[in-house]
Amino acid sequence: ITRANAGKDVLLIDGDEQHTAVTFTELRTQLLGAPGYTAVSLQGAALRTQVRQLAPKYDDLIIDVGGRDTGSLRAALLVSQTLLIPVQPRSFDIWAVDQMAELVKEAREINDDLRAFAVLNAADAQGRDNADAAEAIQEVEGIILLPVMIGRRKAFPNAAAGGKAVTEQTPKDAKATQELHTLLKAVYTA
């Protein structure tokens, strides 16, 4: 949404079996009239084939495939330039980064341009968990931890429930908006 609001022609591809991106887009359209971007649902090999055909027509293609090892995730890794792995500072999420690193390694045998970033998401307001998680992620070969943390803030689910990005929510949550802008800058300028 933020990229589209900045004037980019964005295609959102929902490759996740839960169809969260398409469901959100339907909600956004119902509540606001138009999403401001194009959304489609593609899975498995169709995702890989269609992305190659659609890529020249859009400024940005964003693929949501979830974090499980599926045909859609593997297909997306073969056609993507950048992988963003949101990681909560919890043991299970951190352990999953190792599994994702293995998939990235395999994908790079075909797609050697693939960049893989992790970002701490739903980070704690205090305590050692964020620092411990960051330390563990930095040790994973092939994954770069971005110097950004997205806090666990009510602003994100509240905005989503209204079909909006946190940057569109009124009143604005300055911290949540700044975190999102910092993340986008890190991903698009890295």
Side-chain angles (χ1 to χ4, degrees):
I1 293 169
T2 303
R3 295 289 289 175
N5 287 344
K8 300 294 182 182
D9 192 6
V10 177
L11 174 63
L12 174 61
I13 300 169
D14 192 340
D16 193 348
E17 295 167 1
Q18 293 179 336
H19 302 290
T20 307
V22 166
T23 301
F24 172 80
T25 300
E26 290 168 355
L27 173 67
R28 182 173 172 80
T29 302
Q30 181 182 26
L31 295 176
L32 305 178
Y37 56 87
T38 303
V40 297
S41 178
L42 297 168
Q43 277 80 40
L47 187 152
R48 184 180 61 246
T49 304
Q50 291 296 311
V51 164
R52 288 182 176 139
Q53 293 175 1
L54 293 168
K57 300 175 184 175
Y58 292 90
D59 298 319
D60 290 346
L61 276 76
I62 299 171
I63 306 171
D64 174 16
V65 290
R68 292 186 328 272
D69 184 359
T70 63
S72 294
L73 171 60
R74 287 177 179 266
L77 291 174
L78 297 179
V79 295
S80 295
Q81 295 174 342
T82 305
L83 169 66
L84 181 62
I85 309 163
V87 183
Q88 292 187 34
R90 311 286 177 266
S91 297
F92 291 120
D93 279 47
I94 295 165
W95 296 337
V97 175
D98 287 322
Q99 295 168 338
M100 189 63 71
E102 285 300 316
L103 293 174
V104 167
K105 184 178 177 181
E106 288 177 28
R108 284 183 175 148
E109 292 177 14
I110 296 169
N111 180 5
D112 58 359
D113 294 330
L114 178 63
R115 305 176 311 156
F117 300 122
V119 61
L120 282 178
N121 187 39
D124 296 320
Q126 57 189 2
R128 288 251 348 125
D129 289 346
N130 298 336
D132 291 345
E135 187 178 306
I137 294 166
Q138 287 172 329
E139 294 176 9
V140 177
E141 187 177 333
I143 306 291
I144 299 168
L145 178 64
L146 292 174
V148 179
M149 276 196 296
I150 305 297
R152 185 179 357 196
R153 302 186 188 289
K154 290 176 69 176
F156 292 107
N158 289 350
K164 297 180 179 181
V166 73
T167 55
E168 300 173 307
Q169 186 73 350
T170 305
K172 283 215 183 300
D173 181 313
K175 288 181 180 180
T177 299
Q178 181 60 44
E179 288 171 353
L180 183 61
H181 283 298
T182 302
L183 174 62
L184 288 171
K185 183 177 179 184
V187 168
Y188 283 95
T189 61

